[in-house]
Amino acid sequence: SLNELQGSIKGRLKLAVVTTATYFTPHLFNRFLRQYPEVNIRLNVTNRNSILERLANNEDDLVIMGQVPEHLNVQSHQFLENPLVVLAPANHPLVNEKNIPISRILQETFLVRELGSGTRLAMERYFEGVELGLKVGMELGSSEAIKQGVIAGLGISVLSRHTLTLELATGIIKLLDVEGFPQMRYWYIVHLSEKKLSLVARTFLDFLITRTRDVLTEAEKTLIEAGMHIAETP
Ligand code: PGA
């Protein structure tokens, strides 16, 4: 029966996620653990480069990342959209502009993530694609540090929309409506192709693929009911 099957899904689930995934994965863990209370999740949080190393060394059951590795033999499943957005402090002069040209945005100073960050890689690839140079200000080692830098007026930046829920709700950070943005990326759950997944790992993988959208919609509804303002992506 379903109950017996659920009861047999227990034990440790070792996960690693890129830093930018920590902003939405807790809702998924919560829902999964309600269904499988005997699973014990151990989470490692680090940037893209470290995740690639962990994958190569087979350190986790599964990893969540923003771009499939190019030089490893892996199986990956895309399970959610990941919009990359341009953020600025609330008092920035471009906040109410529509369709801001890229050439205009390049006059601004950009705060960037550290080398090894997937967010940084995606941002660099985008601006290389349009063949225009960025004015890079400070390099800051995390999305949290970037957001605090943006709030303090050190510059503007590009981050996953998922990292900004709280700051957009309070209005302290605004998204800029820049031509070409949001850049649509995706979240992937990944493991080495030769890896034999445990029953718990297979169950979690299946849960992410089939349930993520519902769970996150439900979580967002709960936040709105609790009085949180969910800002729209321009
Ligand atoms: P990161 O996130 O910037 O923390 O490495 C990876 C990604 O979004 O691809």
mmCIF file of all heavy atoms in Angstrom, residues 11-18 21-22 25-26 28-30 32-33 39-46 51 54-55 58-65 79 188-191 195 197-198 200-205 207-208:
data_model
loop_
_atom_site.group_PDB
_atom_site.id
_atom_site.type_symbol
_atom_site.label_atom_id
_atom_site.label_comp_id
_atom_site.label_asym_id
_atom_site.label_seq_id
_atom_site.Cartn_x
_atom_site.Cartn_y
_atom_site.Cartn_z
ATOM 1 N N GLY A 11 15.820 7.427 6.015
ATOM 2 C CA GLY A 11 17.279 7.458 6.001
ATOM 3 C C GLY A 11 17.807 8.774 5.479
ATOM 4 O O GLY A 11 17.057 9.726 5.282
ATOM 5 N N ARG A 12 19.102 8.818 5.267
ATOM 6 C CA ARG A 12 19.751 10.077 4.967
ATOM 7 C C ARG A 12 19.677 10.442 3.489
ATOM 8 O O ARG A 12 19.835 9.600 2.618
ATOM 9 C CB ARG A 12 21.204 10.021 5.404
ATOM 10 C CG ARG A 12 21.805 11.405 5.478
ATOM 11 C CD ARG A 12 23.110 11.380 6.196
ATOM 12 N NE ARG A 12 24.128 10.935 5.272
ATOM 13 C CZ ARG A 12 25.390 10.736 5.623
ATOM 14 N NH1 ARG A 12 25.753 10.899 6.882
ATOM 15 N NH2 ARG A 12 26.277 10.359 4.740
ATOM 16 N N LEU A 13 19.451 11.736 3.250
ATOM 17 C CA LEU A 13 19.477 12.294 1.897
ATOM 18 C C LEU A 13 20.507 13.418 1.913
ATOM 19 O O LEU A 13 20.326 14.436 2.581
ATOM 20 C CB LEU A 13 18.090 12.827 1.536
ATOM 21 C CG LEU A 13 17.936 13.492 0.174
ATOM 22 C CD1 LEU A 13 18.275 12.535 -0.964
ATOM 23 C CD2 LEU A 13 16.508 14.029 -0.003
ATOM 24 N N LYS A 14 21.602 13.188 1.188
ATOM 25 C CA LYS A 14 22.689 14.175 1.188
ATOM 26 C C LYS A 14 22.566 15.027 -0.070
ATOM 27 O O LYS A 14 22.722 14.535 -1.184
ATOM 28 C CB LYS A 14 24.026 13.430 1.181
ATOM 29 C CG LYS A 14 24.944 13.849 2.306
ATOM 30 C CD LYS A 14 26.259 13.130 2.245
ATOM 31 C CE LYS A 14 27.387 14.137 2.358
ATOM 32 N NZ LYS A 14 28.704 13.527 2.200
ATOM 33 N N LEU A 15 22.286 16.305 0.136
ATOM 34 C CA LEU A 15 22.083 17.216 -0.999
ATOM 35 C C LEU A 15 23.107 18.338 -0.974
ATOM 36 O O LEU A 15 23.566 18.746 0.099
ATOM 37 C CB LEU A 15 20.695 17.854 -0.923
ATOM 38 C CG LEU A 15 19.484 16.923 -0.908
ATOM 39 C CD1 LEU A 15 18.214 17.737 -0.699
ATOM 40 C CD2 LEU A 15 19.400 16.130 -2.213
ATOM 41 N N ALA A 16 23.433 18.839 -2.142
ATOM 42 C CA ALA A 16 24.220 20.071 -2.238
ATOM 43 C C ALA A 16 23.500 20.998 -3.205
ATOM 44 O O ALA A 16 23.010 20.545 -4.245
ATOM 45 C CB ALA A 16 25.631 19.773 -2.721
ATOM 46 N N VAL A 17 23.410 22.262 -2.846
ATOM 47 C CA VAL A 17 22.746 23.235 -3.726
ATOM 48 C C VAL A 17 23.624 24.470 -3.886
ATOM 49 O O VAL A 17 24.378 24.830 -2.976
ATOM 50 C CB VAL A 17 21.354 23.669 -3.182
ATOM 51 C CG1 VAL A 17 20.439 22.470 -2.991
ATOM 52 C CG2 VAL A 17 21.453 24.474 -1.890
ATOM 53 N N VAL A 18 23.518 25.095 -5.044
ATOM 54 C CA VAL A 18 24.198 26.387 -5.223
ATOM 55 C C VAL A 18 23.516 27.409 -4.326
ATOM 56 O O VAL A 18 22.327 27.282 -4.006
ATOM 57 C CB VAL A 18 24.190 26.859 -6.698
ATOM 58 C CG1 VAL A 18 25.146 26.030 -7.536
ATOM 59 C CG2 VAL A 18 22.795 26.850 -7.289
ATOM 60 N N ALA A 21 20.006 28.742 -4.729
ATOM 61 C CA ALA A 21 18.852 27.843 -4.587
ATOM 62 C C ALA A 21 18.350 27.778 -3.146
ATOM 63 O O ALA A 21 17.279 27.224 -2.888
ATOM 64 C CB ALA A 21 19.210 26.449 -5.087
ATOM 65 N N THR A 22 19.108 28.386 -2.214
ATOM 66 C CA THR A 22 18.682 28.299 -0.802
ATOM 67 C C THR A 22 17.432 29.125 -0.533
ATOM 68 O O THR A 22 16.834 29.014 0.517
ATOM 69 C CB THR A 22 19.772 28.808 0.165
ATOM 70 O OG1 THR A 22 20.137 30.122 -0.225
ATOM 71 C CG2 THR A 22 20.982 27.908 0.133
ATOM 72 N N THR A 25 14.406 26.346 -1.971
ATOM 73 C CA THR A 25 14.402 24.915 -1.643
ATOM 74 C C THR A 25 13.813 24.580 -0.261
ATOM 75 O O THR A 25 13.251 23.493 -0.121
ATOM 76 C CB THR A 25 15.807 24.294 -1.803
ATOM 77 O OG1 THR A 25 16.762 25.140 -1.169
ATOM 78 C CG2 THR A 25 16.166 24.124 -3.266
ATOM 79 N N PRO A 26 13.907 25.458 0.762
ATOM 80 C CA PRO A 26 13.318 25.082 2.052
ATOM 81 C C PRO A 26 11.833 24.729 1.978
ATOM 82 O O PRO A 26 11.368 23.830 2.675
ATOM 83 C CB PRO A 26 13.541 26.318 2.921
ATOM 84 C CG PRO A 26 14.762 26.945 2.348
ATOM 85 C CD PRO A 26 14.658 26.732 0.867
ATOM 86 N N LEU A 28 10.392 23.265 -0.445
ATOM 87 C CA LEU A 28 10.321 21.911 -1.017
ATOM 88 C C LEU A 28 10.709 20.869 0.032
ATOM 89 O O LEU A 28 10.069 19.818 0.145
ATOM 90 C CB LEU A 28 11.227 21.814 -2.243
ATOM 91 C CG LEU A 28 10.827 22.764 -3.385
ATOM 92 C CD1 LEU A 28 11.929 22.897 -4.414
ATOM 93 C CD2 LEU A 28 9.540 22.264 -4.039
ATOM 94 N N PHE A 29 11.745 21.177 0.831
ATOM 95 C CA PHE A 29 12.141 20.243 1.897
ATOM 96 C C PHE A 29 10.989 20.056 2.888
ATOM 97 O O PHE A 29 10.689 18.949 3.318
ATOM 98 C CB PHE A 29 13.366 20.757 2.666
ATOM 99 C CG PHE A 29 14.585 20.980 1.806
ATOM 100 C CD1 PHE A 29 15.489 22.004 2.101
ATOM 101 C CD2 PHE A 29 14.826 20.170 0.703
ATOM 102 C CE1 PHE A 29 16.600 22.205 1.306
ATOM 103 C CE2 PHE A 29 15.955 20.378 -0.096
ATOM 104 C CZ PHE A 29 16.836 21.398 0.212
ATOM 105 N N ASN A 30 10.358 21.167 3.237
ATOM 106 C CA ASN A 30 9.256 21.125 4.202
ATOM 107 C C ASN A 30 8.153 20.183 3.716
ATOM 108 O O ASN A 30 7.717 19.284 4.436
ATOM 109 C CB ASN A 30 8.728 22.550 4.406
ATOM 110 C CG ASN A 30 7.599 22.609 5.423
ATOM 111 O OD1 ASN A 30 7.266 21.598 6.059
ATOM 112 N ND2 ASN A 30 7.019 23.778 5.586
ATOM 113 N N PHE A 32 8.295 17.877 1.380
ATOM 114 C CA PHE A 32 8.798 16.510 1.222
ATOM 115 C C PHE A 32 8.855 15.801 2.587
ATOM 116 O O PHE A 32 8.441 14.640 2.718
ATOM 117 C CB PHE A 32 10.187 16.539 0.578
ATOM 118 C CG PHE A 32 10.770 15.182 0.288
ATOM 119 C CD1 PHE A 32 10.304 14.430 -0.787
ATOM 120 C CD2 PHE A 32 11.785 14.656 1.076
ATOM 121 C CE1 PHE A 32 10.841 13.169 -1.063
ATOM 122 C CE2 PHE A 32 12.321 13.398 0.808
ATOM 123 C CZ PHE A 32 11.848 12.662 -0.263
ATOM 124 N N LEU A 33 9.332 16.501 3.604
ATOM 125 C CA LEU A 33 9.483 15.897 4.936
ATOM 126 C C LEU A 33 8.143 15.653 5.609
ATOM 127 O O LEU A 33 8.023 14.763 6.449
ATOM 128 C CB LEU A 33 10.375 16.773 5.827
ATOM 129 C CG LEU A 33 11.838 16.819 5.377
ATOM 130 C CD1 LEU A 33 12.617 17.847 6.191
ATOM 131 C CD2 LEU A 33 12.501 15.444 5.463
ATOM 132 N N VAL A 39 12.850 10.747 6.665
ATOM 133 C CA VAL A 39 14.031 11.101 5.880
ATOM 134 C C VAL A 39 14.776 12.200 6.621
ATOM 135 O O VAL A 39 14.181 13.098 7.216
ATOM 136 C CB VAL A 39 13.633 11.575 4.459
ATOM 137 C CG1 VAL A 39 14.839 12.139 3.717
ATOM 138 C CG2 VAL A 39 13.013 10.416 3.672
ATOM 139 N N ASN A 40 16.091 12.096 6.578
ATOM 140 C CA ASN A 40 16.949 13.051 7.259
ATOM 141 C C ASN A 40 17.795 13.771 6.199
ATOM 142 O O ASN A 40 18.689 13.163 5.620
ATOM 143 C CB ASN A 40 17.817 12.233 8.210
ATOM 144 C CG ASN A 40 18.602 13.107 9.127
ATOM 145 O OD1 ASN A 40 19.813 13.101 9.079
ATOM 146 N ND2 ASN A 40 17.917 13.874 9.942
ATOM 147 N N ILE A 41 17.484 15.062 5.968
ATOM 148 C CA ILE A 41 18.192 15.784 4.902
ATOM 149 C C ILE A 41 19.432 16.477 5.455
ATOM 150 O O ILE A 41 19.366 17.157 6.473
ATOM 151 C CB ILE A 41 17.270 16.832 4.236
ATOM 152 C CG1 ILE A 41 16.081 16.133 3.551
ATOM 153 C CG2 ILE A 41 18.051 17.673 3.225
ATOM 154 C CD1 ILE A 41 15.101 17.082 2.886
ATOM 155 N N ARG A 42 20.538 16.278 4.776
ATOM 156 C CA ARG A 42 21.766 17.013 5.103
ATOM 157 C C ARG A 42 22.139 17.854 3.901
ATOM 158 O O ARG A 42 22.386 17.336 2.821
ATOM 159 C CB ARG A 42 22.886 16.035 5.427
ATOM 160 C CG ARG A 42 23.406 16.308 6.826
ATOM 161 C CD ARG A 42 24.350 15.282 7.284
ATOM 162 N NE ARG A 42 25.601 15.363 6.584
ATOM 163 C CZ ARG A 42 26.575 14.481 6.773
ATOM 164 N NH1 ARG A 42 26.406 13.464 7.602
ATOM 165 N NH2 ARG A 42 27.708 14.619 6.133
ATOM 166 N N LEU A 43 22.187 19.164 4.100
ATOM 167 C CA LEU A 43 22.334 20.094 2.980
ATOM 168 C C LEU A 43 23.681 20.796 3.019
ATOM 169 O O LEU A 43 24.082 21.333 4.045
ATOM 170 C CB LEU A 43 21.220 21.141 3.058
ATOM 171 C CG LEU A 43 21.168 22.158 1.929
ATOM 172 C CD1 LEU A 43 20.802 21.487 0.620
ATOM 173 C CD2 LEU A 43 20.175 23.262 2.237
ATOM 174 N N ASN A 44 24.350 20.796 1.879
ATOM 175 C CA ASN A 44 25.570 21.580 1.743
ATOM 176 C C ASN A 44 25.283 22.726 0.771
ATOM 177 O O ASN A 44 24.696 22.500 -0.281
ATOM 178 C CB ASN A 44 26.680 20.675 1.201
ATOM 179 C CG ASN A 44 28.016 21.379 1.236
ATOM 180 O OD1 ASN A 44 28.290 22.216 0.375
ATOM 181 N ND2 ASN A 44 28.812 21.067 2.225
ATOM 182 N N VAL A 45 25.679 23.940 1.139
ATOM 183 C CA VAL A 45 25.406 25.120 0.307
ATOM 184 C C VAL A 45 26.722 25.739 -0.139
ATOM 185 O O VAL A 45 27.546 26.106 0.708
ATOM 186 C CB VAL A 45 24.602 26.175 1.101
ATOM 187 C CG1 VAL A 45 24.342 27.399 0.229
ATOM 188 C CG2 VAL A 45 23.299 25.588 1.620
ATOM 189 N N THR A 46 26.910 25.858 -1.430
ATOM 190 C CA THR A 46 28.165 26.416 -1.912
ATOM 191 C C THR A 46 27.977 26.939 -3.343
ATOM 192 O O THR A 46 26.884 26.854 -3.873
ATOM 193 C CB THR A 46 29.278 25.341 -1.815
ATOM 194 O OG1 THR A 46 30.514 25.911 -2.190
ATOM 195 C CG2 THR A 46 28.989 24.146 -2.706
ATOM 196 N N ILE A 51 30.283 23.020 -6.304
ATOM 197 C CA ILE A 51 29.293 21.984 -6.604
ATOM 198 C C ILE A 51 29.845 21.043 -7.676
ATOM 199 O O ILE A 51 29.682 19.824 -7.590
ATOM 200 C CB ILE A 51 27.963 22.607 -7.094
ATOM 201 C CG1 ILE A 51 27.259 23.341 -5.962
ATOM 202 C CG2 ILE A 51 27.056 21.559 -7.732
ATOM 203 C CD1 ILE A 51 26.330 22.517 -5.121
ATOM 204 N N ARG A 54 32.196 18.701 -5.999
ATOM 205 C CA ARG A 54 31.459 17.718 -5.192
ATOM 206 C C ARG A 54 30.836 16.643 -6.084
ATOM 207 O O ARG A 54 30.844 15.468 -5.750
ATOM 208 C CB ARG A 54 30.371 18.405 -4.357
ATOM 209 C CG ARG A 54 30.891 19.353 -3.304
ATOM 210 C CD ARG A 54 29.757 19.943 -2.477
ATOM 211 N NE ARG A 54 29.136 18.919 -1.641
ATOM 212 C CZ ARG A 54 29.525 18.607 -0.417
ATOM 213 N NH1 ARG A 54 30.529 19.251 0.137
ATOM 214 N NH2 ARG A 54 28.916 17.661 0.265
ATOM 215 N N LEU A 55 30.318 17.087 -7.234
ATOM 216 C CA LEU A 55 29.726 16.133 -8.186
ATOM 217 C C LEU A 55 30.788 15.150 -8.670
ATOM 218 O O LEU A 55 30.588 13.929 -8.631
ATOM 219 C CB LEU A 55 29.208 16.899 -9.400
ATOM 220 C CG LEU A 55 27.727 17.025 -9.658
ATOM 221 C CD1 LEU A 55 27.514 17.770 -10.962
ATOM 222 C CD2 LEU A 55 26.984 15.712 -9.666
ATOM 223 N N ASN A 58 31.619 12.594 -6.231
ATOM 224 C CA ASN A 58 30.481 11.781 -5.789
ATOM 225 C C ASN A 58 30.173 11.959 -4.304
ATOM 226 O O ASN A 58 29.970 10.994 -3.569
ATOM 227 C CB ASN A 58 30.766 10.304 -6.120
ATOM 228 C CG ASN A 58 29.512 9.446 -6.039
ATOM 229 O OD1 ASN A 58 28.396 9.960 -6.152
ATOM 230 N ND2 ASN A 58 29.700 8.158 -5.819
ATOM 231 N N GLU A 59 30.135 13.212 -3.847
ATOM 232 C CA GLU A 59 29.971 13.478 -2.411
ATOM 233 C C GLU A 59 28.511 13.553 -1.961
ATOM 234 O O GLU A 59 28.244 13.532 -0.773
ATOM 235 C CB GLU A 59 30.680 14.790 -2.046
ATOM 236 C CG GLU A 59 32.187 14.658 -2.092
ATOM 237 C CD GLU A 59 32.892 15.934 -1.689
ATOM 238 O OE1 GLU A 59 32.602 16.449 -0.595
ATOM 239 O OE2 GLU A 59 33.725 16.417 -2.476
ATOM 240 N N ASP A 60 27.579 13.713 -2.893
ATOM 241 C CA ASP A 60 26.176 13.913 -2.519
ATOM 242 C C ASP A 60 25.275 12.933 -3.252
ATOM 243 O O ASP A 60 25.666 12.372 -4.274
ATOM 244 C CB ASP A 60 25.758 15.346 -2.881
ATOM 245 C CG ASP A 60 26.696 16.370 -2.298
ATOM 246 O OD1 ASP A 60 26.656 16.571 -1.074
ATOM 247 O OD2 ASP A 60 27.509 16.937 -3.068
ATOM 248 N N ASP A 61 24.065 12.763 -2.746
ATOM 249 C CA ASP A 61 23.085 11.957 -3.488
ATOM 250 C C ASP A 61 22.636 12.700 -4.738
ATOM 251 O O ASP A 61 22.543 12.124 -5.820
ATOM 252 C CB ASP A 61 21.868 11.665 -2.601
ATOM 253 C CG ASP A 61 22.204 10.700 -1.480
ATOM 254 O OD1 ASP A 61 22.785 9.641 -1.783
ATOM 255 O OD2 ASP A 61 21.905 11.009 -0.312
ATOM 256 N N LEU A 62 22.357 13.996 -4.564
ATOM 257 C CA LEU A 62 21.867 14.817 -5.675
ATOM 258 C C LEU A 62 22.350 16.247 -5.475
ATOM 259 O O LEU A 62 22.566 16.669 -4.331
ATOM 260 C CB LEU A 62 20.334 14.833 -5.683
ATOM 261 C CG LEU A 62 19.624 13.506 -5.977
ATOM 262 C CD1 LEU A 62 18.162 13.601 -5.551
ATOM 263 C CD2 LEU A 62 19.738 13.139 -7.455
ATOM 264 N N VAL A 63 22.489 16.985 -6.563
ATOM 265 C CA VAL A 63 22.808 18.408 -6.441
ATOM 266 C C VAL A 63 21.805 19.237 -7.245
ATOM 267 O O VAL A 63 21.246 18.770 -8.233
ATOM 268 C CB VAL A 63 24.253 18.747 -6.899
ATOM 269 C CG1 VAL A 63 25.277 17.845 -6.228
ATOM 270 C CG2 VAL A 63 24.393 18.681 -8.402
ATOM 271 N N ILE A 64 21.607 20.479 -6.793
ATOM 272 C CA ILE A 64 20.731 21.412 -7.503
ATOM 273 C C ILE A 64 21.587 22.577 -7.975
ATOM 274 O O ILE A 64 22.333 23.172 -7.179
ATOM 275 C CB ILE A 64 19.582 21.897 -6.592
ATOM 276 C CG1 ILE A 64 18.636 20.729 -6.284
ATOM 277 C CG2 ILE A 64 18.820 23.053 -7.255
ATOM 278 C CD1 ILE A 64 17.528 21.058 -5.289
ATOM 279 N N MET A 65 21.506 22.875 -9.268
ATOM 280 C CA MET A 65 22.339 23.932 -9.823
ATOM 281 C C MET A 65 21.636 24.657 -10.973
ATOM 282 O O MET A 65 20.601 24.201 -11.452
ATOM 283 C CB MET A 65 23.689 23.359 -10.270
ATOM 284 C CG MET A 65 23.596 22.229 -11.253
ATOM 285 S SD MET A 65 25.096 21.189 -11.268
ATOM 286 C CE MET A 65 26.362 22.408 -11.596
ATOM 287 N N PHE A 79 13.723 21.516 -13.590
ATOM 288 C CA PHE A 79 12.462 21.430 -12.840
ATOM 289 C C PHE A 79 11.810 22.761 -12.498
ATOM 290 O O PHE A 79 10.716 22.784 -11.936
ATOM 291 C CB PHE A 79 12.639 20.581 -11.566
ATOM 292 C CG PHE A 79 13.521 21.199 -10.514
ATOM 293 C CD1 PHE A 79 12.969 21.935 -9.483
ATOM 294 C CD2 PHE A 79 14.896 21.031 -10.569
ATOM 295 C CE1 PHE A 79 13.776 22.512 -8.513
ATOM 296 C CE2 PHE A 79 15.717 21.607 -9.603
ATOM 297 C CZ PHE A 79 15.145 22.339 -8.577
ATOM 298 N N TYR A 188 18.179 22.899 -12.271
ATOM 299 C CA TYR A 188 18.360 21.487 -12.616
ATOM 300 C C TYR A 188 18.710 20.679 -11.377
ATOM 301 O O TYR A 188 19.463 21.153 -10.521
ATOM 302 C CB TYR A 188 19.502 21.310 -13.625
ATOM 303 C CG TYR A 188 19.270 22.031 -14.923
ATOM 304 C CD1 TYR A 188 19.663 23.362 -15.072
ATOM 305 C CD2 TYR A 188 18.649 21.398 -15.992
ATOM 306 C CE1 TYR A 188 19.443 24.048 -16.257
ATOM 307 C CE2 TYR A 188 18.429 22.073 -17.191
ATOM 308 C CZ TYR A 188 18.827 23.397 -17.313
ATOM 309 O OH TYR A 188 18.602 24.069 -18.487
ATOM 310 N N ILE A 189 18.184 19.461 -11.328
ATOM 311 C CA ILE A 189 18.644 18.490 -10.335
ATOM 312 C C ILE A 189 19.511 17.483 -11.082
ATOM 313 O O ILE A 189 19.133 16.995 -12.148
ATOM 314 C CB ILE A 189 17.482 17.865 -9.540
ATOM 315 C CG1 ILE A 189 18.025 16.873 -8.521
ATOM 316 C CG2 ILE A 189 16.441 17.201 -10.415
ATOM 317 C CD1 ILE A 189 17.546 17.091 -7.135
ATOM 318 N N VAL A 190 20.694 17.219 -10.520
ATOM 319 C CA VAL A 190 21.751 16.556 -11.292
ATOM 320 C C VAL A 190 22.426 15.455 -10.476
ATOM 321 O O VAL A 190 22.580 15.574 -9.256
ATOM 322 C CB VAL A 190 22.825 17.613 -11.689
ATOM 323 C CG1 VAL A 190 23.950 16.980 -12.499
ATOM 324 C CG2 VAL A 190 22.203 18.769 -12.459
ATOM 325 N N HIS A 191 22.818 14.374 -11.161
ATOM 326 C CA HIS A 191 23.711 13.370 -10.557
ATOM 327 C C HIS A 191 24.578 12.755 -11.643
ATOM 328 O O HIS A 191 24.250 12.850 -12.842
ATOM 329 C CB HIS A 191 22.909 12.296 -9.805
ATOM 330 C CG HIS A 191 21.989 11.498 -10.677
ATOM 331 N ND1 HIS A 191 22.392 10.378 -11.372
ATOM 332 C CD2 HIS A 191 20.690 11.684 -11.003
ATOM 333 C CE1 HIS A 191 21.365 9.903 -12.063
ATOM 334 N NE2 HIS A 191 20.318 10.679 -11.868
ATOM 335 N N LYS A 195 25.929 6.949 -11.365
ATOM 336 C CA LYS A 195 25.562 6.824 -9.949
ATOM 337 C C LYS A 195 24.305 5.978 -9.773
ATOM 338 O O LYS A 195 23.331 6.135 -10.494
ATOM 339 C CB LYS A 195 25.317 8.213 -9.357
ATOM 340 C CG LYS A 195 25.144 8.204 -7.851
ATOM 341 C CD LYS A 195 25.060 9.624 -7.330
ATOM 342 C CE LYS A 195 24.839 9.656 -5.838
ATOM 343 N NZ LYS A 195 26.043 9.244 -5.081
ATOM 344 N N LEU A 197 21.247 5.586 -7.639
ATOM 345 C CA LEU A 197 20.531 6.401 -6.657
ATOM 346 C C LEU A 197 19.868 5.521 -5.604
ATOM 347 O O LEU A 197 19.308 4.463 -5.922
ATOM 348 C CB LEU A 197 19.462 7.245 -7.344
ATOM 349 C CG LEU A 197 19.941 8.330 -8.305
ATOM 350 C CD1 LEU A 197 18.750 9.129 -8.824
ATOM 351 C CD2 LEU A 197 20.942 9.258 -7.645
ATOM 352 N N SER A 198 19.889 5.993 -4.347
ATOM 353 C CA SER A 198 19.152 5.309 -3.276
ATOM 354 C C SER A 198 17.648 5.506 -3.506
ATOM 355 O O SER A 198 17.238 6.383 -4.274
ATOM 356 C CB SER A 198 19.544 5.895 -1.918
ATOM 357 O OG SER A 198 19.070 7.232 -1.829
ATOM 358 N N VAL A 200 15.566 6.787 -1.401
ATOM 359 C CA VAL A 200 15.247 8.145 -0.920
ATOM 360 C C VAL A 200 15.585 9.175 -2.003
ATOM 361 O O VAL A 200 14.792 10.076 -2.288
ATOM 362 C CB VAL A 200 16.026 8.472 0.382
ATOM 363 C CG1 VAL A 200 15.770 9.901 0.812
ATOM 364 C CG2 VAL A 200 15.646 7.513 1.488
ATOM 365 N N ALA A 201 16.752 9.044 -2.605
ATOM 366 C CA ALA A 201 17.190 10.000 -3.632
ATOM 367 C C ALA A 201 16.246 9.957 -4.840
ATOM 368 O O ALA A 201 15.859 11.004 -5.369
ATOM 369 C CB ALA A 201 18.624 9.714 -4.054
ATOM 370 N N ARG A 202 15.866 8.753 -5.251
ATOM 371 C CA ARG A 202 14.955 8.644 -6.400
ATOM 372 C C ARG A 202 13.601 9.269 -6.075
ATOM 373 O O ARG A 202 12.977 9.904 -6.910
ATOM 374 C CB ARG A 202 14.763 7.170 -6.790
ATOM 375 C CG ARG A 202 15.792 6.715 -7.807
ATOM 376 C CD ARG A 202 15.461 5.343 -8.342
ATOM 377 N NE ARG A 202 15.770 4.318 -7.347
ATOM 378 C CZ ARG A 202 14.987 3.290 -7.050
ATOM 379 N NH1 ARG A 202 13.825 3.136 -7.661
ATOM 380 N NH2 ARG A 202 15.346 2.419 -6.126
ATOM 381 N N THR A 203 13.156 9.080 -4.833
ATOM 382 C CA THR A 203 11.870 9.634 -4.416
ATOM 383 C C THR A 203 11.922 11.156 -4.408
ATOM 384 O O THR A 203 10.988 11.835 -4.856
ATOM 385 C CB THR A 203 11.496 9.096 -3.016
ATOM 386 O OG1 THR A 203 11.563 7.671 -3.045
ATOM 387 C CG2 THR A 203 10.101 9.534 -2.606
ATOM 388 N N PHE A 204 13.047 11.711 -3.918
ATOM 389 C CA PHE A 204 13.181 13.173 -3.882
ATOM 390 C C PHE A 204 13.255 13.754 -5.298
ATOM 391 O O PHE A 204 12.621 14.774 -5.601
ATOM 392 C CB PHE A 204 14.413 13.578 -3.066
ATOM 393 C CG PHE A 204 14.526 15.067 -2.899
ATOM 394 C CD1 PHE A 204 13.637 15.763 -2.092
ATOM 395 C CD2 PHE A 204 15.511 15.778 -3.572
ATOM 396 C CE1 PHE A 204 13.731 17.146 -1.948
ATOM 397 C CE2 PHE A 204 15.605 17.161 -3.442
ATOM 398 C CZ PHE A 204 14.714 17.840 -2.628
ATOM 399 N N LEU A 205 14.014 13.092 -6.154
ATOM 400 C CA LEU A 205 14.138 13.525 -7.553
ATOM 401 C C LEU A 205 12.754 13.587 -8.211
ATOM 402 O O LEU A 205 12.377 14.582 -8.838
ATOM 403 C CB LEU A 205 15.033 12.527 -8.294
ATOM 404 C CG LEU A 205 15.299 12.761 -9.771
ATOM 405 C CD1 LEU A 205 16.220 13.945 -9.966
ATOM 406 C CD2 LEU A 205 15.940 11.528 -10.397
ATOM 407 N N PHE A 207 9.877 13.759 -6.695
ATOM 408 C CA PHE A 207 9.096 14.786 -6.010
ATOM 409 C C PHE A 207 9.391 16.167 -6.617
ATOM 410 O O PHE A 207 8.471 16.935 -6.913
ATOM 411 C CB PHE A 207 9.440 14.766 -4.511
ATOM 412 C CG PHE A 207 8.760 15.826 -3.705
ATOM 413 C CD1 PHE A 207 7.514 15.600 -3.125
ATOM 414 C CD2 PHE A 207 9.368 17.061 -3.495
ATOM 415 C CE1 PHE A 207 6.891 16.583 -2.371
ATOM 416 C CE2 PHE A 207 8.742 18.052 -2.746
ATOM 417 C CZ PHE A 207 7.510 17.805 -2.182
ATOM 418 N N LEU A 208 10.671 16.485 -6.819
ATOM 419 C CA LEU A 208 11.040 17.798 -7.376
ATOM 420 C C LEU A 208 10.451 17.985 -8.770
ATOM 421 O O LEU A 208 9.918 19.047 -9.096
ATOM 422 C CB LEU A 208 12.561 17.931 -7.488
ATOM 423 C CG LEU A 208 13.350 18.400 -6.293
ATOM 424 C CD1 LEU A 208 14.699 18.942 -6.761
ATOM 425 C CD2 LEU A 208 12.628 19.478 -5.515
#
